Amino acid sequence: MMNFIRFALLIATASGIAGAAWGQAYPAKPIKLVAPSTPGDAPDVIARLIADKLSGQLGQPVLVE
């Protein structure tokens, strides 16, 4: 009987967590894109071009750091 109660609590907790995860629209806040170089280098420029395209497609600001 105790195993059944534990199993029922586990299922209830898992379904509560899964239900809360579906409550938010993705992305809910600005996205950070990290460029692994100094500003002005080629990877930074490419990251900024990608961020511009992603912002338009996702409808959410994409910040390059």
Side-chain angles (χ1 to χ4, degrees), residues 22-62:
W22 288 104
Q24 297 180 358
Y26 179 81
K29 55 187 176 179
I31 300 169
K32 289 183 184 178
L33 180 63
V34 179
S37 66
T38 58
D41 283 348
D44 180 61
V45 173
I46 292 170
R48 292 182 190 279
L49 292 171
I50 292 171
D52 187 43
K53 296 287 184 182
L54 279 176
S55 287
Q57 290 180 353
L58 296 175
Q60 195 74 355
V62 178

Side-chain angles (χ1 to χ4, degrees), residues 1-10:
M1 185 66 175
M2 187 58 103
N3 287 337
F4 177 74
I5 293 172
R6 286 183 184 167
F7 180 72
L9 287 173
L10 177 68

